[in-house]
Amino acid sequence: MRENILNKSAEMFLRLGFKSVTMDDLAAEMGISKKTIYQHYKNKTELVEASVFHVFDSVCGQINTVCDPEISPIRELYQIKRVVREYFGDEESMAYNQLKKFYPNLFEQLMKKKYQVFVESVSDNLRRGITMGLFREDIDIFFTSRMYFSGMSSIKDSDMFPPVEHSVPTLTALFLEYHLRAIVTERGLEELNQFINEEKITQ
């Protein structure tokens, strides 16, 4: 039951918002009593925290399935983008901003954990790209990995990037291209243009 509550709450929080969903809503959706939920989670804050890190671990797990040291690091970044898009759809921005506003301490914990995983992953991606001749040898991995993390985090900020202008998936595609164009070699640029054309066809 605890796992069922966690899965359903995570789905509802992402779809409807952390603030909007009440324990009554969750109980009604699952056809159980609030008492049953409280037997596993003492309050909503504890459930939100569990849901947030459950989603984080789930996304990391799915990303790991598409990461392969043998494939092009450019292809890898596009595959990661697709995984995140399929998991969140257009709801990631709302979840990000509500978590930041209503659960700031939890938001900070999540960002620290995300930072550690993200920077390590991107740094590895950059090293492989340099080795394969797709990324320039003179790029600063420390700087570039952190700039990429900062940019990908910023595009979810609805104050900085209002949803009426661009959706998060669109901003993600634009920033990924922006990031790669700054670091690719001529050979890498040929591969990047191929992926950009593929994206246009599938849209």
Side-chain angles (χ1 to χ4, degrees), residues 54 81 92 104 137 159 187 189:
H54 171 67
K81 180 176 75 69
E92 188 177 6
E137 293 183 355
D159 291 329
R187 179 181 158 205
L189 181 59

Side-chain angles (χ1 to χ4, degrees), residues 1 5 21-44 47:
M1 178 57 73
I5 293 171
V21 178
T22 66
M23 299 298 251
D24 285 315
D25 294 331
L26 178 59
E29 181 75 14
M30 295 189 68
I32 60 178
S33 68
K34 261 199 314 185
K35 182 179 179 181
T36 301
I37 298 175
Y38 286 125
Q39 287 174 348
H40 298 280
Y41 299 95
K42 63 182 180 182
N43 53 46
K44 182 180 174 181
L47 182 56

Side-chain angles (χ1 to χ4, degrees), residues 14-197:
L14 286 178
R15 178 165 50 88
L16 302 172
F18 292 102
K19 183 68 173 178
S20 304
V21 178
T22 66
M23 299 298 251
D24 285 315
D25 294 331
L26 178 59
E29 181 75 14
M30 295 189 68
I32 60 178
S33 68
K34 261 199 314 185
K35 182 179 179 181
T36 301
I37 298 175
Y38 286 125
Q39 287 174 348
H40 298 280
Y41 299 95
K42 63 182 180 182
N43 53 46
K44 182 180 174 181
T45 298
E46 184 178 284
L47 182 56
V48 168
E49 180 175 357
S51 298
V52 164
F53 289 109
H54 171 67
V55 169
F56 177 81
D57 291 339
S58 296
V59 173
C60 286
Q62 291 189 38
I63 288 174
N64 286 337
T65 65
V66 302
C67 291
D68 184 340
E70 300 301 319
I71 70 171
S72 157
I74 295 176
R75 175 179 293 276
E76 181 179 87
L77 289 177
Y78 272 91
Q79 288 181 338
I80 290 172
K81 180 176 75 69
R82 291 190 185 107
V83 166
V84 174
R85 171 71 185 275
E86 289 171 3
Y87 195 99
F88 290 104
D90 293 332
E91 297 159 355
E92 188 177 6
S93 178
M94 180 182 68
Y96 175 95
N97 286 285
Q98 284 207 359
L99 189 67
K100 183 178 181 180
K101 181 177 181 179
F102 299 111
Y103 298 91
N105 293 334
L106 178 55
F107 177 82
E108 186 175 346
Q109 291 176 45
L110 175 65
M111 293 304 289
K112 285 181 179 178
K113 187 172 183 178
K114 186 177 179 181
Y115 171 83
Q116 293 172 344
V117 173
F118 195 106
V119 169
E120 181 179 348
S121 175
V122 173
S123 296
D124 177 68
N125 181 275
L126 292 169
R127 292 188 195 96
R128 288 193 295 108
I130 292 172
T131 301
M132 292 180 180
L134 297 171
F135 298 160
R136 300 194 331 266
E137 293 183 355
D138 62 343
I139 60 176
D140 187 307
I141 291 176
F142 178 90
F143 172 81
T144 305
S145 61
R146 285 154 178 80
M147 283 298 295
Y148 189 55
F149 172 80
S150 177
M152 279 297 187
S153 299
S154 295
I155 62 176
K156 300 178 185 68
D157 188 324
S158 59
D159 291 329
M160 189 176 297
F161 294 98
V164 294
E165 297 293 335
H166 289 300
S167 67
V168 169
T170 298
L171 290 169
T172 300
L174 289 172
F175 187 73
L176 176 56
E177 180 182 345
Y178 176 85
H179 164 74
L180 287 170
R181 284 193 182 279
I183 63 175
V184 291
T185 59
E186 288 187 15
R187 179 181 158 205
L189 181 59
E190 291 180 7
E191 186 171 318
L192 173 60
N193 286 332
Q194 176 186 337
F195 277 102
I196 292 172
N197 289 332

